[in-house]
Amino acid sequence: MENNKRRRFLKLGLAGAALSFIDPFKASKLIASTENRLTSSPVVISTWNHGIAANKAAWEVLSNGGNALDAVESGVRVTEADVSNRSVGIGGMPDRSGHVTLDACIMDENSNCGSVGCLEGIEHPISVARAVMEKTQHVMLVGDGAKQFALDQGFQKIKTPIPEVKAEYQKWKKENKDLFKKPEINHENHDTIGMLALDANGNLSGACTTSGWAYKLPGRLGDSPIIGAGLFVDNEVGAACATGLGEAIIRIAGSHTVVELMRQGYTPQEACKMAVERIISKHKDLTNLQCCFLALDKNGNVGSFSVYNGFNYAYTSADKEALIDAPFDRNW
Ligand code: ASP
């Protein structure tokens, strides 16, 4: 520990000395990023503005010396419990047959991971995903099997869709007679919560939970329950999560790609941008194809990027709480 502190101090000292020879404007930016890189203070980031409330719960854990895994689980549970949220948890939008099916995954600093897909009638899919990770030999449980596992673990059954969602679904069904037509991108999807945290011990974890693409075909899984697509954590390097059109994110193993780019030395920001560029290069038609990445490296640096404008994320550390607009490739 003492040695680590000394090494950090030495690094900062050397960086400071080097900076005295360069342009002051560039130097101030470099000092900021150098300080950021060398901090071991906890940080939590999460997708969209529902991340603000979720970060508060996660920060409660982190600021009291708790670990990143507990922080991300507590954080996204806030969003899952908010039944007014139409894209996460049991208040989320249903599939084409009126069933609200939920997807979630979680990953810790030891590369342990757990995931559930197409889980119906359970309030906290993220905690079921954690139970899959901690109590079984498996990584992923889906559908009825996931539900039975949750019930066996003592999770309560909840009747879905809740009345407000049912009413919206009935209206949608009237206007959409052909239940098997292709779902409408960006009108009929949106807004997973993906959360990444670094704790005071320098360990990373991540969580991701969603009701997925609204009015999806029954049985559809997006990126969110898929380790490597909607979420990936490698404690030696960093963590990344995604939101947006899951099919496009899966196609490039999005979150894993972002982490591997960080391993090659790219900053979280550069890595997110490169992953978005890869999605762009793999799709001829980008109409309504919104995909967004969020990344946090081992040293607390963060980055984000999206195909189109409109994506934002919540950031919380000891000295800053903010909702930040992500940079993007093109205007909507
Ligand atoms: N990625 C989610 C999915 O495809 C949806 C979203 O984040 O907008 O299910």
Side-chain angles (χ1 to χ4, degrees), residues 47-48 87 103 186 189-193 208-214 216 220-225 230 242-250 290:
T47 55
W48 306 108
S87 57
D103 302 334
N186 267 321
N189 73 340
H190 252 337
D191 303 357
T192 302
I193 182 156
C208 184
T209 175
T210 191
S211 53
W213 187 332
K216 59 198 172 188
R220 179 260 186 190
L221 292 180
D223 59 311
S224 306
T243 175
L245 187 67
E247 283 71 4
I249 295 161
I250 292 170
Q290 175 66 313

Side-chain angles (χ1 to χ4, degrees), residues 26 32 85 163 211 218 273:
K26 282 191 189 142
N85 189 312
S211 53
K273 185 169 190 283

